[in-house]
Amino acid sequence: MDILATFGLFVGSLISNTLASLSGGGAGLLQLPLLLFLGLTFSIALATHKVASVALGLGAALKHWRSGNLDPALTLYVVLAGAAGVITGANLILFVPGPLAEALLGALIIALGLYSRMRKSLGQDADPKHRDTLGLVVGCIGLSVIGILNGSLTAGTGLFVTLFLVRWFGLDYKQAVALTLVSVGIFWNGLGAITLAVAGADIYWPWIPALLLGSLLGGYLGAYMADKYSNQLIKVAFEWLTFAIGLKLLWSAW
């Protein structure tokens, strides 16, 4: 790949991961189509994207950890709750019809954005809840289902985790975005990439350095913006990104 294409890959990764880090998901909106446009097959592009997305979580974690936005116990809970689902989804994607899955996911993601838009006060202030045994069990089931989507589909599943953490556990958007980026970005995506590789999907290593650099810098930049600005700005970014990703998935399926 020549210098111009490498630079384009880096810029695309930087932009997509900055937006994802600010709003809590959606790096695949730009990054995965870019990999497909440059000639990778779907399974290779998905595995390569997931490897690069680990750097998004690392970049965001550096900033959010220093800012005190992460709850270590809750982070571990989210990681473990979704792990089995991620492995299941990564194996299922080899057999699921892509267009149907993308259309359904697109519709669901748009519904997330509309729900957040209609609930003006959603995620503006932390209101811890459902931390008892029953609440944690139900939360584990919900995160496992989202984990299946994360393992099998390409973009936007981190947005599900962000909104789930806001709605079910009462986190504000800033806390939820930080937790999502670390648990999903580092651990779920890393586990998904390993599972895809074991299942037979190749990773295109020559492009990984440019993607990793863009993801790492974008993750840190987005986390810096999320920490600096208000929950209202993060909420708006979340909603606009859900609409963009949802429409993109519906268009692709069409």
Side-chain angles (χ1 to χ4, degrees), residues 17-25 60 63-64 67 69 162 172-179 181 218-235 237-238:
N17 284 285
T18 299
L19 292 173
S21 183
L22 174 61
S23 57
K63 179 59 182 176
H64 283 302
S67 302
N69 293 327
T162 298
D172 63 31
Y173 266 102
K174 191 172 295 188
Q175 295 170 332
V177 165
L179 182 52
L181 290 171
Y220 189 90
L221 179 59
Y224 172 82
M225 294 169 64
D227 184 62
K228 182 177 178 63
Y229 297 110
S230 66
N231 279 308
Q232 181 59 35
L233 175 64
I234 300 172
K235 182 175 185 290
F238 171 89

Side-chain angles (χ1 to χ4, degrees), residues 7-202:
F7 180 73
L9 193 63
F10 165 74
V11 171
S13 177
L14 178 65
I15 293 172
S16 60
N17 284 285
T18 299
L19 292 173
S21 183
L22 174 61
S23 57
L29 173 66
L30 295 176
Q31 188 164 275
L32 189 94
L34 181 60
L35 293 174
L36 294 172
F37 175 77
L38 290 172
L40 297 187
T41 63
F42 179 80
S43 61
I44 296 176
L46 179 58
T48 304
H49 161 67
K50 285 192 175 296
V51 170
S53 294
V54 174
L56 162 64
L58 290 172
L62 290 174
K63 179 59 182 176
H64 283 302
W65 183 264
R66 292 171 59 189
S67 302
N69 293 327
L70 287 172
D71 181 335
L74 194 54
T75 301
L76 179 61
Y77 165 79
V78 173
V79 170
L80 296 177
V86 171
I87 295 173
T88 301
N91 283 288
L92 285 176
I93 190 57
L94 302 177
F95 307 100
V96 175
L100 175 61
E102 289 194 0
L104 291 175
L105 180 63
L108 286 172
I109 289 176
I110 290 174
L112 290 183
L114 290 173
Y115 177 81
S116 178
R117 190 66 178 169
M118 291 186 294
R119 300 291 295 270
K120 300 297 184 183
S121 62
L122 184 70
Q124 298 307 292
D125 297 294
D127 180 26
K129 55 187 177 182
H130 296 140
R131 308 297 174 89
D132 57 357
T133 301
L134 179 60
L136 291 172
V137 170
V138 174
C140 183
I141 295 172
L143 289 167
S144 294
V145 172
I146 300 172
I148 293 174
L149 294 176
N150 176 268
S152 59
L153 296 171
T154 59
T157 52
L159 300 171
F160 278 86
V161 178
T162 298
L163 190 60
F164 185 83
L165 293 173
V166 169
R167 185 65 183 86
W168 184 252
F169 289 115
L171 277 63
D172 63 31
Y173 266 102
K174 191 172 295 188
Q175 295 170 332
V177 165
L179 182 52
T180 297
L181 290 171
V182 174
S183 57
V184 176
I186 298 176
F187 296 100
W188 287 20
N189 285 340
L191 185 58
I194 293 171
T195 305
L196 283 168
V198 171
D202 294 323

